[in-house]
Amino acid sequence: MKKRLISLSLLFVVLFGLASTLSGCENVTTRADTQDTWSKIKRRGSVVVGLDDSFVPMGFREKSGKLVGYDIDLARAVFKLYGIKVSFQTIDWSMNATELRNGTIDLIWNGYTKNPQREKVVAFSDTYLKNKQVLVSLKKNNINSFNDMTGKTLGAQSGSSGYESLENNPKLLKDKIAKKTPVQYDTFTNAFLDLNAGRIQGLLIDSVYANYYIKHEANSADYHETQGTFDSEDFAVGMRKGDKTMKAKINAGLKTLKANGTLAKINKKWFGDQQVEN
């Protein structure tokens, strides 16, 4: 009986400790998601941006491993106004909001589309770039409309705005494709490999990525872009709900860069003479 009582006591201690640990994790997460962290970031002198480092031209690695891109330049330009350095953290893109709420990163800044579903858990800056979804295929497949994808295999990136558009508007494209389900990829790079190999016949993708990727391919004439009827999208910076000062600072910074011509220079650097809407 005595041994049983001791065992039960030990079990209670272990369970109580586990509950306390889980409660502590929850409290840390809650604090990270609701606190205004600007003063802490200002003291630290750096802010952590989460990104998918294969998303050209927004944020990607060159063959040397150097991280470059439109959003890389823009984020650094904004925080330079406040004397704050930007460090970039590669994350699983499908877990971006979780990483943000947990405090692993401070911002999601990587061609992140603002929409009502995401606005439930993430606060957004003002829009800094307009985007849309396009269907990319090989010309030899003769896909010139969404209807031409009937019975064919479509690719999309997991957790991307394109995937969300596909799911939220099934009649436009999802209901036409094979098995009414797309093949999901962790990166668009892998999706393009399968498209070129014929394992998928179409790829739903951000126009900024598609235009940049195709332009830099040796066989760029082999690709075809189909404009669908998905709504246009707004790229914005995602942040925690509590970071109201951060939101105000980023919005003010974007306005300053637009007014002093820096934003136009970044547009020119990454998109050339292509017309973009900020």
Side-chain angles (χ1 to χ4, degrees):
M1 177 65 73
K2 186 175 182 181
K3 289 183 178 180
R4 182 178 294 177
L5 288 173
I6 293 173
S7 298
L8 289 173
S9 298
L10 288 172
L11 178 61
F12 175 78
V13 170
V14 170
L15 291 175
F16 180 78
L18 179 60
S20 298
T21 300
L22 292 175
S23 176
C25 291
E26 183 178 356
N27 288 337
V28 168
T29 300
T30 300
R31 287 198 300 270
D33 195 34
T34 59
Q35 282 187 338
D36 189 321
T37 63
W38 179 258
S39 57
K40 182 177 71 174
I41 287 171
K42 188 71 174 171
R43 286 195 304 272
R44 191 172 68 199
S46 65
V47 63
V48 181
V49 170
L51 80 163
D52 164 13
D53 64 1
S54 66
F55 188 16
V56 298
M58 309 310 286
F60 64 102
R61 296 192 183 277
E62 296 180 320
K63 290 182 179 179
S64 64
K66 181 182 178 181
L67 187 63
V68 297
Y70 182 92
D71 281 335
I72 306 301
D73 289 350
L74 186 58
R76 285 173 173 160
V78 166
F79 282 100
K80 184 179 180 180
L81 298 172
Y82 303 110
I84 295 173
K85 293 182 179 180
V86 185
S87 59
F88 296 92
Q89 176 67 48
T90 303
I91 59 173
D92 177 346
W93 191 246
S94 65
M95 298 292 289
N96 51 34
T98 300
E99 298 282 17
L100 182 67
R101 291 196 304 269
N102 289 346
T104 308
I105 59 176
D106 299 310
L107 299 169
I108 304 170
W109 197 330
N110 191 214
Y112 193 43
T113 300
K114 183 192 306 185
N115 63 37
Q117 184 176 348
R118 288 174 174 172
E119 285 179 317
K120 293 177 182 177
V121 294
V122 173
F124 281 96
S125 71
D126 293 339
T127 298
Y128 64 85
L129 190 68
K130 292 285 187 178
N131 180 53
K132 56 187 174 183
Q133 294 297 319
V134 295
L135 177 66
V136 174
S137 60
L138 295 177
K139 285 183 179 178
K140 65 181 182 181
N141 291 332
N142 296 314
I143 296 171
N144 300 303
S145 69
F146 281 4
N147 285 333
D148 291 334
M149 279 298 295
T150 301
K152 294 182 172 61
T153 305
L154 177 75
Q157 185 186 30
S158 301
S160 68
S161 57
Y163 180 80
E164 290 179 6
S165 295
L166 187 73
E167 291 293 314
N168 294 334
N169 305 276
K171 291 182 180 180
L172 295 181
L173 182 59
K174 182 182 178 182
D175 289 350
K176 305 178 193 301
I177 62 177
K179 300 179 182 179
K180 296 186 178 182
T181 304
V183 177
Q184 296 186 52
Y185 295 91
D186 55 347
T187 67
F188 282 129
T189 302
N190 291 334
F192 263 104
L193 289 174
D194 273 7
L195 179 67
N196 294 333
R199 286 184 284 269
I200 60 175
Q201 288 72 57
L203 174 60
L204 190 64
I205 184 172
D206 296 86
S207 61
V208 293
Y209 186 113
N211 294 336
Y212 189 91
Y213 183 95
I214 293 171
K215 180 181 178 181
H216 288 80
E217 283 290 281
N219 58 335
S220 59
D222 293 346
Y223 296 96
H224 177 71
E225 284 187 36
T226 300
Q227 304 291 331
T229 53
F230 290 117
D231 293 337
S232 62
E233 301 172 355
D234 295 334
F235 279 171
V237 185
M239 64 202 82
R240 291 180 286 266
K241 292 284 191 178
D243 275 320
K244 299 184 186 304
T245 305
M246 176 90 78
K247 181 176 179 177
K249 295 291 185 180
I250 290 175
N251 287 342
L254 291 171
K255 289 177 181 177
T256 297
L257 297 183
K258 189 170 185 176
N260 67 19
T262 302
L263 183 58
K265 290 179 181 178
I266 296 175
N267 287 345
K268 179 72 173 178
K269 175 181 177 179
W270 291 103
F271 300 120
D273 294 328
Q274 176 188 337
Q275 293 295 316
V276 295
E277 185 180 351
N278 294 115

PDB file of all heavy atoms in Angstrom, residues 160-192:
ATOM      1  N   SER A 160       0.433  28.311 -49.964  1.00  0.00           N
ATOM      2  CA  SER A 160       0.548  29.530 -50.768  1.00  0.00           C
ATOM      3  C   SER A 160      -0.820  30.158 -50.981  1.00  0.00           C
ATOM      4  O   SER A 160      -1.859  29.525 -50.811  1.00  0.00           O
ATOM      5  CB  SER A 160       1.185  29.213 -52.123  1.00  0.00           C
ATOM      6  OG  SER A 160       0.310  28.411 -52.910  1.00  0.00           O
ATOM      7  N   SER A 161      -0.822  31.416 -51.404  1.00  0.00           N
ATOM      8  CA  SER A 161      -2.082  32.091 -51.703  1.00  0.00           C
ATOM      9  C   SER A 161      -2.754  31.446 -52.907  1.00  0.00           C
ATOM     10  O   SER A 161      -3.981  31.437 -53.013  1.00  0.00           O
ATOM     11  CB  SER A 161      -1.843  33.583 -51.958  1.00  0.00           C
ATOM     12  OG  SER A 161      -0.912  33.771 -53.002  1.00  0.00           O
ATOM     13  N   GLY A 162      -1.942  30.909 -53.831  1.00  0.00           N
ATOM     14  CA  GLY A 162      -2.514  30.219 -54.980  1.00  0.00           C
ATOM     15  C   GLY A 162      -3.296  28.988 -54.569  1.00  0.00           C
ATOM     16  O   GLY A 162      -4.399  28.731 -55.074  1.00  0.00           O
ATOM     17  N   TYR A 163      -2.740  28.233 -53.632  1.00  0.00           N
ATOM     18  CA  TYR A 163      -3.436  27.043 -53.131  1.00  0.00           C
ATOM     19  C   TYR A 163      -4.732  27.443 -52.434  1.00  0.00           C
ATOM     20  O   TYR A 163      -5.769  26.798 -52.602  1.00  0.00           O
ATOM     21  CB  TYR A 163      -2.534  26.261 -52.180  1.00  0.00           C
ATOM     22  CG  TYR A 163      -3.192  25.013 -51.625  1.00  0.00           C
ATOM     23  CD1 TYR A 163      -3.261  23.847 -52.386  1.00  0.00           C
ATOM     24  CD2 TYR A 163      -3.772  25.010 -50.360  1.00  0.00           C
ATOM     25  CE1 TYR A 163      -3.878  22.706 -51.894  1.00  0.00           C
ATOM     26  CE2 TYR A 163      -4.388  23.887 -49.858  1.00  0.00           C
ATOM     27  CZ  TYR A 163      -4.442  22.731 -50.628  1.00  0.00           C
ATOM     28  OH  TYR A 163      -5.074  21.601 -50.137  1.00  0.00           O
ATOM     29  N   GLU A 164      -4.671  28.512 -51.659  1.00  0.00           N
ATOM     30  CA  GLU A 164      -5.873  28.975 -50.956  1.00  0.00           C
ATOM     31  C   GLU A 164      -6.937  29.439 -51.953  1.00  0.00           C
ATOM     32  O   GLU A 164      -8.126  29.166 -51.768  1.00  0.00           O
ATOM     33  CB  GLU A 164      -5.512  30.104 -49.992  1.00  0.00           C
ATOM     34  CG  GLU A 164      -4.691  29.648 -48.803  1.00  0.00           C
ATOM     35  CD  GLU A 164      -4.320  30.771 -47.856  1.00  0.00           C
ATOM     36  OE1 GLU A 164      -4.810  31.906 -48.072  1.00  0.00           O
ATOM     37  OE2 GLU A 164      -3.554  30.527 -46.916  1.00  0.00           O
ATOM     38  N   SER A 165      -6.522  30.146 -53.011  1.00  0.00           N
ATOM     39  CA  SER A 165      -7.468  30.594 -54.041  1.00  0.00           C
ATOM     40  C   SER A 165      -8.111  29.398 -54.734  1.00  0.00           C
ATOM     41  O   SER A 165      -9.310  29.399 -55.034  1.00  0.00           O
ATOM     42  CB  SER A 165      -6.750  31.463 -55.082  1.00  0.00           C
ATOM     43  OG  SER A 165      -6.286  32.661 -54.509  1.00  0.00           O
ATOM     44  N   LEU A 166      -7.310  28.385 -54.971  1.00  0.00           N
ATOM     45  CA  LEU A 166      -7.806  27.171 -55.616  1.00  0.00           C
ATOM     46  C   LEU A 166      -8.884  26.510 -54.765  1.00  0.00           C
ATOM     47  O   LEU A 166      -9.945  26.114 -55.269  1.00  0.00           O
ATOM     48  CB  LEU A 166      -6.640  26.203 -55.833  1.00  0.00           C
ATOM     49  CG  LEU A 166      -6.918  24.946 -56.646  1.00  0.00           C
ATOM     50  CD1 LEU A 166      -7.065  25.286 -58.116  1.00  0.00           C
ATOM     51  CD2 LEU A 166      -5.792  23.933 -56.445  1.00  0.00           C
ATOM     52  N   GLU A 167      -8.620  26.418 -53.462  1.00  0.00           N
ATOM     53  CA  GLU A 167      -9.551  25.764 -52.544  1.00  0.00           C
ATOM     54  C   GLU A 167     -10.812  26.596 -52.323  1.00  0.00           C
ATOM     55  O   GLU A 167     -11.914  26.051 -52.204  1.00  0.00           O
ATOM     56  CB  GLU A 167      -8.857  25.513 -51.196  1.00  0.00           C
ATOM     57  CG  GLU A 167      -7.761  24.461 -51.241  1.00  0.00           C
ATOM     58  CD  GLU A 167      -8.302  23.074 -51.518  1.00  0.00           C
ATOM     59  OE1 GLU A 167      -9.309  22.679 -50.901  1.00  0.00           O
ATOM     60  OE2 GLU A 167      -7.717  22.377 -52.368  1.00  0.00           O
ATOM     61  N   ASN A 168     -10.645  27.905 -52.266  1.00  0.00           N
ATOM     62  CA  ASN A 168     -11.787  28.778 -51.973  1.00  0.00           C
ATOM     63  C   ASN A 168     -12.696  29.032 -53.172  1.00  0.00           C
ATOM     64  O   ASN A 168     -13.825  29.484 -53.008  1.00  0.00           O
ATOM     65  CB  ASN A 168     -11.282  30.122 -51.428  1.00  0.00           C
ATOM     66  CG  ASN A 168     -10.604  29.974 -50.077  1.00  0.00           C
ATOM     67  OD1 ASN A 168     -10.882  29.050 -49.329  1.00  0.00           O
ATOM     68  ND2 ASN A 168      -9.705  30.891 -49.769  1.00  0.00           N
ATOM     69  N   ASN A 169     -12.180  28.757 -54.374  1.00  0.00           N
ATOM     70  CA  ASN A 169     -12.968  28.960 -55.600  1.00  0.00           C
ATOM     71  C   ASN A 169     -12.889  27.717 -56.480  1.00  0.00           C
ATOM     72  O   ASN A 169     -12.360  27.759 -57.597  1.00  0.00           O
ATOM     73  CB  ASN A 169     -12.430  30.175 -56.375  1.00  0.00           C
ATOM     74  CG  ASN A 169     -12.395  31.436 -55.535  1.00  0.00           C
ATOM     75  OD1 ASN A 169     -13.388  32.133 -55.402  1.00  0.00           O
ATOM     76  ND2 ASN A 169     -11.237  31.729 -54.952  1.00  0.00           N
ATOM     77  N   PRO A 170     -13.390  26.593 -55.977  1.00  0.00           N
ATOM     78  CA  PRO A 170     -13.188  25.306 -56.669  1.00  0.00           C
ATOM     79  C   PRO A 170     -13.726  25.252 -58.092  1.00  0.00           C
ATOM     80  O   PRO A 170     -13.169  24.555 -58.943  1.00  0.00           O
ATOM     81  CB  PRO A 170     -13.908  24.307 -55.765  1.00  0.00           C
ATOM     82  CG  PRO A 170     -14.877  25.119 -54.962  1.00  0.00           C
ATOM     83  CD  PRO A 170     -14.196  26.432 -54.756  1.00  0.00           C
ATOM     84  N   LYS A 171     -14.790  25.980 -58.387  1.00  0.00           N
ATOM     85  CA  LYS A 171     -15.393  25.901 -59.722  1.00  0.00           C
ATOM     86  C   LYS A 171     -14.495  26.495 -60.807  1.00  0.00           C
ATOM     87  O   LYS A 171     -14.618  26.140 -61.982  1.00  0.00           O
ATOM     88  CB  LYS A 171     -16.749  26.593 -59.725  1.00  0.00           C
ATOM     89  CG  LYS A 171     -17.813  25.870 -58.914  1.00  0.00           C
ATOM     90  CD  LYS A 171     -19.164  26.570 -58.997  1.00  0.00           C
ATOM     91  CE  LYS A 171     -20.230  25.835 -58.184  1.00  0.00           C
ATOM     92  NZ  LYS A 171     -21.549  26.517 -58.267  1.00  0.00           N
ATOM     93  N   LEU A 172     -13.608  27.413 -60.415  1.00  0.00           N
ATOM     94  CA  LEU A 172     -12.755  28.067 -61.402  1.00  0.00           C
ATOM     95  C   LEU A 172     -11.721  27.117 -61.999  1.00  0.00           C
ATOM     96  O   LEU A 172     -11.446  27.153 -63.198  1.00  0.00           O
ATOM     97  CB  LEU A 172     -12.058  29.277 -60.785  1.00  0.00           C
ATOM     98  CG  LEU A 172     -12.949  30.433 -60.342  1.00  0.00           C
ATOM     99  CD1 LEU A 172     -12.105  31.564 -59.773  1.00  0.00           C
ATOM    100  CD2 LEU A 172     -13.779  30.947 -61.513  1.00  0.00           C
ATOM    101  N   LEU A 173     -11.148  26.263 -61.152  1.00  0.00           N
ATOM    102  CA  LEU A 173     -10.082  25.387 -61.644  1.00  0.00           C
ATOM    103  C   LEU A 173     -10.028  24.023 -60.958  1.00  0.00           C
ATOM    104  O   LEU A 173      -9.857  22.993 -61.622  1.00  0.00           O
ATOM    105  CB  LEU A 173      -8.724  26.097 -61.493  1.00  0.00           C
ATOM    106  CG  LEU A 173      -7.488  25.358 -62.001  1.00  0.00           C
ATOM    107  CD1 LEU A 173      -7.612  25.034 -63.489  1.00  0.00           C
ATOM    108  CD2 LEU A 173      -6.230  26.194 -61.754  1.00  0.00           C
ATOM    109  N   LYS A 174     -10.202  23.997 -59.643  1.00  0.00           N
ATOM    110  CA  LYS A 174     -10.019  22.760 -58.891  1.00  0.00           C
ATOM    111  C   LYS A 174     -10.921  21.630 -59.386  1.00  0.00           C
ATOM    112  O   LYS A 174     -10.478  20.481 -59.509  1.00  0.00           O
ATOM    113  CB  LYS A 174     -10.271  23.004 -57.404  1.00  0.00           C
ATOM    114  CG  LYS A 174     -10.040  21.762 -56.545  1.00  0.00           C
ATOM    115  CD  LYS A 174     -10.341  22.021 -55.085  1.00  0.00           C
ATOM    116  CE  LYS A 174     -10.148  20.745 -54.274  1.00  0.00           C
ATOM    117  NZ  LYS A 174     -10.488  20.934 -52.844  1.00  0.00           N
ATOM    118  N   ASP A 175     -12.180  21.948 -59.658  1.00  0.00           N
ATOM    119  CA  ASP A 175     -13.125  20.913 -60.074  1.00  0.00           C
ATOM    120  C   ASP A 175     -12.812  20.357 -61.460  1.00  0.00           C
ATOM    121  O   ASP A 175     -13.365  19.319 -61.849  1.00  0.00           O
ATOM    122  CB  ASP A 175     -14.561  21.459 -60.064  1.00  0.00           C
ATOM    123  CG  ASP A 175     -15.080  21.685 -58.653  1.00  0.00           C
ATOM    124  OD1 ASP A 175     -14.415  21.245 -57.696  1.00  0.00           O
ATOM    125  OD2 ASP A 175     -16.149  22.313 -58.505  1.00  0.00           O
ATOM    126  N   LYS A 176     -11.929  21.010 -62.197  1.00  0.00           N
ATOM    127  CA  LYS A 176     -11.605  20.567 -63.561  1.00  0.00           C
ATOM    128  C   LYS A 176     -10.416  19.607 -63.596  1.00  0.00           C
ATOM    129  O   LYS A 176     -10.309  18.776 -64.498  1.00  0.00           O
ATOM    130  CB  LYS A 176     -11.291  21.783 -64.449  1.00  0.00           C
ATOM    131  CG  LYS A 176     -12.371  22.850 -64.483  1.00  0.00           C
ATOM    132  CD  LYS A 176     -11.938  24.028 -65.346  1.00  0.00           C
ATOM    133  CE  LYS A 176     -12.827  25.245 -65.158  1.00  0.00           C
ATOM    134  NZ  LYS A 176     -14.227  25.012 -65.463  1.00  0.00           N
ATOM    135  N   ILE A 177      -9.506  19.733 -62.632  1.00  0.00           N
ATOM    136  CA  ILE A 177      -8.242  19.000 -62.701  1.00  0.00           C
ATOM    137  C   ILE A 177      -8.391  17.543 -62.269  1.00  0.00           C
ATOM    138  O   ILE A 177      -9.401  17.154 -61.672  1.00  0.00           O
ATOM    139  CB  ILE A 177      -7.167  19.682 -61.835  1.00  0.00           C
ATOM    140  CG1 ILE A 177      -7.589  19.686 -60.357  1.00  0.00           C
ATOM    141  CG2 ILE A 177      -6.916  21.092 -62.329  1.00  0.00           C
ATOM    142  CD1 ILE A 177      -6.528  20.275 -59.426  1.00  0.00           C
ATOM    143  N   ALA A 178      -7.395  16.738 -62.579  1.00  0.00           N
ATOM    144  CA  ALA A 178      -7.405  15.315 -62.239  1.00  0.00           C
ATOM    145  C   ALA A 178      -7.588  15.123 -60.738  1.00  0.00           C
ATOM    146  O   ALA A 178      -6.907  15.767 -59.924  1.00  0.00           O
ATOM    147  CB  ALA A 178      -6.102  14.672 -62.691  1.00  0.00           C
ATOM    148  N   LYS A 179      -8.524  14.277 -60.375  1.00  0.00           N
ATOM    149  CA  LYS A 179      -8.839  13.933 -58.983  1.00  0.00           C
ATOM    150  C   LYS A 179      -9.303  15.131 -58.161  1.00  0.00           C
ATOM    151  O   LYS A 179      -9.450  15.039 -56.942  1.00  0.00           O
ATOM    152  CB  LYS A 179      -7.625  13.284 -58.302  1.00  0.00           C
ATOM    153  CG  LYS A 179      -7.150  12.002 -58.964  1.00  0.00           C
ATOM    154  CD  LYS A 179      -5.937  11.422 -58.245  1.00  0.00           C
ATOM    155  CE  LYS A 179      -5.442  10.155 -58.940  1.00  0.00           C
ATOM    156  NZ  LYS A 179      -4.245   9.596 -58.269  1.00  0.00           N
ATOM    157  N   LYS A 180      -9.514  16.259 -58.850  1.00  0.00           N
ATOM    158  CA  LYS A 180      -9.939  17.500 -58.184  1.00  0.00           C
ATOM    159  C   LYS A 180      -9.017  17.882 -57.028  1.00  0.00           C
ATOM    160  O   LYS A 180      -9.427  18.519 -56.052  1.00  0.00           O
ATOM    161  CB  LYS A 180     -11.388  17.363 -57.674  1.00  0.00           C
ATOM    162  CG  LYS A 180     -12.399  17.173 -58.792  1.00  0.00           C
ATOM    163  CD  LYS A 180     -13.822  17.184 -58.266  1.00  0.00           C
ATOM    164  CE  LYS A 180     -14.825  17.036 -59.409  1.00  0.00           C
ATOM    165  NZ  LYS A 180     -16.225  17.086 -58.937  1.00  0.00           N
ATOM    166  N   THR A 181      -7.765  17.499 -57.160  1.00  0.00           N
ATOM    167  CA  THR A 181      -6.775  17.758 -56.112  1.00  0.00           C
ATOM    168  C   THR A 181      -5.426  18.070 -56.751  1.00  0.00           C
ATOM    169  O   THR A 181      -4.960  17.317 -57.609  1.00  0.00           O
ATOM    170  CB  THR A 181      -6.607  16.536 -55.185  1.00  0.00           C
ATOM    171  OG1 THR A 181      -7.882  16.191 -54.636  1.00  0.00           O
ATOM    172  CG2 THR A 181      -5.645  16.831 -54.054  1.00  0.00           C
ATOM    173  N   PRO A 182      -4.778  19.158 -56.362  1.00  0.00           N
ATOM    174  CA  PRO A 182      -3.467  19.470 -56.939  1.00  0.00           C
ATOM    175  C   PRO A 182      -2.346  18.691 -56.260  1.00  0.00           C
ATOM    176  O   PRO A 182      -2.499  18.237 -55.125  1.00  0.00           O
ATOM    177  CB  PRO A 182      -3.318  20.967 -56.652  1.00  0.00           C
ATOM    178  CG  PRO A 182      -4.033  21.139 -55.347  1.00  0.00           C
ATOM    179  CD  PRO A 182      -5.213  20.202 -55.408  1.00  0.00           C
ATOM    180  N   VAL A 183      -1.252  18.549 -56.956  1.00  0.00           N
ATOM    181  CA  VAL A 183      -0.032  18.035 -56.336  1.00  0.00           C
ATOM    182  C   VAL A 183       0.591  19.201 -55.580  1.00  0.00           C
ATOM    183  O   VAL A 183       0.776  20.282 -56.148  1.00  0.00           O
ATOM    184  CB  VAL A 183       0.955  17.505 -57.393  1.00  0.00           C
ATOM    185  CG1 VAL A 183       2.250  17.050 -56.731  1.00  0.00           C
ATOM    186  CG2 VAL A 183       0.322  16.364 -58.179  1.00  0.00           C
ATOM    187  N   GLN A 184       0.899  19.010 -54.295  1.00  0.00           N
ATOM    188  CA  GLN A 184       1.432  20.105 -53.486  1.00  0.00           C
ATOM    189  C   GLN A 184       2.951  20.004 -53.372  1.00  0.00           C
ATOM    190  O   GLN A 184       3.505  18.912 -53.222  1.00  0.00           O
ATOM    191  CB  GLN A 184       0.806  20.093 -52.089  1.00  0.00           C
ATOM    192  CG  GLN A 184      -0.688  20.355 -52.102  1.00  0.00           C
ATOM    193  CD  GLN A 184      -1.252  20.481 -50.699  1.00  0.00           C
ATOM    194  OE1 GLN A 184      -0.760  21.255 -49.878  1.00  0.00           O
ATOM    195  NE2 GLN A 184      -2.301  19.715 -50.419  1.00  0.00           N
ATOM    196  N   TYR A 185       3.605  21.162 -53.426  1.00  0.00           N
ATOM    197  CA  TYR A 185       5.061  21.223 -53.365  1.00  0.00           C
ATOM    198  C   TYR A 185       5.493  22.134 -52.226  1.00  0.00           C
ATOM    199  O   TYR A 185       4.809  23.100 -51.893  1.00  0.00           O
ATOM    200  CB  TYR A 185       5.622  21.756 -54.685  1.00  0.00           C
ATOM    201  CG  TYR A 185       5.363  20.838 -55.858  1.00  0.00           C
ATOM    202  CD1 TYR A 185       4.207  20.979 -56.636  1.00  0.00           C
ATOM    203  CD2 TYR A 185       6.260  19.822 -56.184  1.00  0.00           C
ATOM    204  CE1 TYR A 185       3.960  20.133 -57.702  1.00  0.00           C
ATOM    205  CE2 TYR A 185       6.015  18.975 -57.265  1.00  0.00           C
ATOM    206  CZ  TYR A 185       4.872  19.134 -58.012  1.00  0.00           C
ATOM    207  OH  TYR A 185       4.623  18.289 -59.065  1.00  0.00           O
ATOM    208  N   ASP A 186       6.665  21.825 -51.669  1.00  0.00           N
ATOM    209  CA  ASP A 186       7.197  22.697 -50.618  1.00  0.00           C
ATOM    210  C   ASP A 186       7.777  23.976 -51.208  1.00  0.00           C
ATOM    211  O   ASP A 186       7.763  25.033 -50.568  1.00  0.00           O
ATOM    212  CB  ASP A 186       8.249  21.966 -49.776  1.00  0.00           C
ATOM    213  CG  ASP A 186       9.384  21.388 -50.617  1.00  0.00           C
ATOM    214  OD1 ASP A 186       9.246  21.322 -51.858  1.00  0.00           O
ATOM    215  OD2 ASP A 186      10.406  20.983 -50.027  1.00  0.00           O
ATOM    216  N   THR A 187       8.283  23.896 -52.452  1.00  0.00           N
ATOM    217  CA  THR A 187       8.811  25.089 -53.119  1.00  0.00           C
ATOM    218  C   THR A 187       8.382  25.086 -54.582  1.00  0.00           C
ATOM    219  O   THR A 187       8.127  24.036 -55.178  1.00  0.00           O
ATOM    220  CB  THR A 187      10.359  25.129 -53.080  1.00  0.00           C
ATOM    221  OG1 THR A 187      10.885  24.063 -53.888  1.00  0.00           O
ATOM    222  CG2 THR A 187      10.883  24.990 -51.658  1.00  0.00           C
ATOM    223  N   PHE A 188       8.344  26.277 -55.173  1.00  0.00           N
ATOM    224  CA  PHE A 188       8.021  26.395 -56.591  1.00  0.00           C
ATOM    225  C   PHE A 188       9.152  25.834 -57.456  1.00  0.00           C
ATOM    226  O   PHE A 188       8.924  25.408 -58.583  1.00  0.00           O
ATOM    227  CB  PHE A 188       7.764  27.851 -56.965  1.00  0.00           C
ATOM    228  CG  PHE A 188       6.410  28.355 -56.549  1.00  0.00           C
ATOM    229  CD1 PHE A 188       6.279  29.538 -55.836  1.00  0.00           C
ATOM    230  CD2 PHE A 188       5.260  27.653 -56.874  1.00  0.00           C
ATOM    231  CE1 PHE A 188       5.033  30.003 -55.458  1.00  0.00           C
ATOM    232  CE2 PHE A 188       4.010  28.116 -56.500  1.00  0.00           C
ATOM    233  CZ  PHE A 188       3.892  29.290 -55.789  1.00  0.00           C
ATOM    234  N   THR A 189      10.356  25.834 -56.934  1.00  0.00           N
ATOM    235  CA  THR A 189      11.488  25.282 -57.677  1.00  0.00           C
ATOM    236  C   THR A 189      11.234  23.817 -58.002  1.00  0.00           C
ATOM    237  O   THR A 189      11.423  23.372 -59.142  1.00  0.00           O
ATOM    238  CB  THR A 189      12.787  25.429 -56.872  1.00  0.00           C
ATOM    239  OG1 THR A 189      13.011  26.811 -56.576  1.00  0.00           O
ATOM    240  CG2 THR A 189      13.976  24.879 -57.647  1.00  0.00           C
ATOM    241  N   ASN A 190      10.796  23.054 -57.004  1.00  0.00           N
ATOM    242  CA  ASN A 190      10.493  21.639 -57.221  1.00  0.00           C
ATOM    243  C   ASN A 190       9.301  21.469 -58.152  1.00  0.00           C
ATOM    244  O   ASN A 190       9.250  20.531 -58.951  1.00  0.00           O
ATOM    245  CB  ASN A 190      10.217  20.951 -55.883  1.00  0.00           C
ATOM    246  CG  ASN A 190      11.458  20.836 -55.027  1.00  0.00           C
ATOM    247  OD1 ASN A 190      12.574  20.809 -55.542  1.00  0.00           O
ATOM    248  ND2 ASN A 190      11.284  20.771 -53.714  1.00  0.00           N
ATOM    249  N   ALA A 191       8.344  22.385 -58.059  1.00  0.00           N
ATOM    250  CA  ALA A 191       7.171  22.315 -58.925  1.00  0.00           C
ATOM    251  C   ALA A 191       7.568  22.510 -60.394  1.00  0.00           C
ATOM    252  O   ALA A 191       7.069  21.811 -61.290  1.00  0.00           O
ATOM    253  CB  ALA A 191       6.144  23.369 -58.510  1.00  0.00           C
ATOM    254  N   PHE A 192       8.469  23.451 -60.646  1.00  0.00           N
ATOM    255  CA  PHE A 192       8.934  23.689 -62.022  1.00  0.00           C
ATOM    256  C   PHE A 192       9.694  22.478 -62.567  1.00  0.00           C
ATOM    257  O   PHE A 192       9.601  22.163 -63.758  1.00  0.00           O
ATOM    258  CB  PHE A 192       9.808  24.936 -62.099  1.00  0.00           C
ATOM    259  CG  PHE A 192       9.053  26.166 -62.536  1.00  0.00           C
ATOM    260  CD1 PHE A 192       8.698  27.139 -61.622  1.00  0.00           C
ATOM    261  CD2 PHE A 192       8.690  26.338 -63.864  1.00  0.00           C
ATOM    262  CE1 PHE A 192       8.003  28.276 -62.019  1.00  0.00           C
ATOM    263  CE2 PHE A 192       7.986  27.465 -64.277  1.00  0.00           C
ATOM    264  CZ  PHE A 192       7.637  28.437 -63.344  1.00  0.00           C
TER     265      PHE A 192
END
